[in-house]
Amino acid sequence: MSDPRAHDFIWISDRSALESDNVLPDWINSSWRTALPLVVRRDQRADGAIPVGIRGLTRIQRAAAWVNPAAVVRVVTPESLVSDVNALLQSPFVSQQPVQALITLSSLQLPFPWGVTGSCAFALASDIPVMHADSDLDLLVRCDSPATPAQFLDFYDQLQRLPCRADVQINTPQGGFALSEWLRGGDVMLKTATGPFRVRDPWQSLTG
């Protein structure tokens, strides 16, 4: 099993594997169960614990925690959730606009690995109806090597034709940044495990 990355979903073997810097909210004890996925977030701890976000059934039910890597029993990546268009077509959420948008994108030849995050991804990974009529589509693009804005213009044009609003985060080895901000030119806000940074080159090592 590969090490989970930001935006991956993980499942754990036991609720006791959840650790928190603060007291976890009551709804976790009453309604969260290990059949539900946790989403890997950006943070780091010296002991190598995995930073996760816990999602409940309502928009306000969110909590941050840590998980011992030994407790992880399954990992699902954003890319794997869009890898099988037949699975999307058979999804109980196929009528929802974000899933319709994924089906459209799956039919295109895109030059980089991509996947889905956010509420649409959580619904696909858990079969729990957390999407709403106004839900945006959150996408992730893996781009480990330096790229230019010109390489994304056609992709960005395709996004404007989707049936719902789409927000795209480009992930580099250093962190993640918004595609729309990058295409406007200038510095971008790069989200990393040690916090956000304004950078000109999101592929450049921050420790160099």
Side-chain angles (χ1 to χ4, degrees), residues 38-207:
L38 303 163
V39 62
V40 179
R41 56 188 176 84
R42 297 189 191 279
D43 205 343
Q44 62 182 18
R45 207 168 75 174
D47 63 357
I50 300 170
V52 297
I54 309 170
R55 180 172 185 148
L57 301 182
T58 69
R59 293 186 180 188
I60 64 171
Q61 290 181 334
R62 302 287 189 275
W66 300 87
V67 169
N68 186 320
V72 176
V73 296
R74 182 186 176 202
V75 178
V76 168
T77 67
E79 298 96 313
S80 69
L81 291 172
V82 300
S83 63
D84 184 352
V85 68
N86 287 326
L88 294 173
L89 289 168
Q90 295 169 16
S91 165
F93 312 112
V94 67
S95 63
Q96 304 248 11
Q97 288 188 341
V99 178
Q100 285 292 313
L102 290 178
I103 292 169
T104 297
L105 289 173
S106 296
S107 68
L108 305 176
Q109 291 294 104
L110 302 178
F112 26 70
W114 66 280
V116 61
T117 63
S119 61
C120 183
F122 188 88
L124 292 173
S126 67
D127 285 336
I128 294 177
V130 294
M131 283 185 285
H132 306 276
D134 59 347
S135 289
D136 292 344
L137 176 63
D138 296 305
L139 300 173
L140 175 148
V141 171
R142 304 279 188 196
C143 195
D144 291 342
S145 301
T148 65
Q151 292 175 266
F152 287 86
L153 291 179
D154 182 61
F155 176 57
Y156 190 74
D157 181 60
Q158 298 287 349
L159 297 178
Q160 312 315 307
R161 307 177 190 180
L162 296 176
C164 62
R165 172 183 166 84
D167 291 318
V168 180
Q169 183 177 108
I170 307 295
N171 266 35
T172 78
Q174 311 306 323
F177 62 93
L179 173 62
S180 58
E181 182 183 19
W182 187 49
L183 293 180
R184 289 197 295 267
D187 293 352
V188 296
M189 183 66 72
L190 184 70
K191 297 177 181 178
T192 78
T194 56
F197 297 90
R198 298 294 303 183
V199 300
R200 178 57 55 93
D201 180 358
W203 285 271
Q204 183 177 0
S205 172
L206 297 173
T207 59

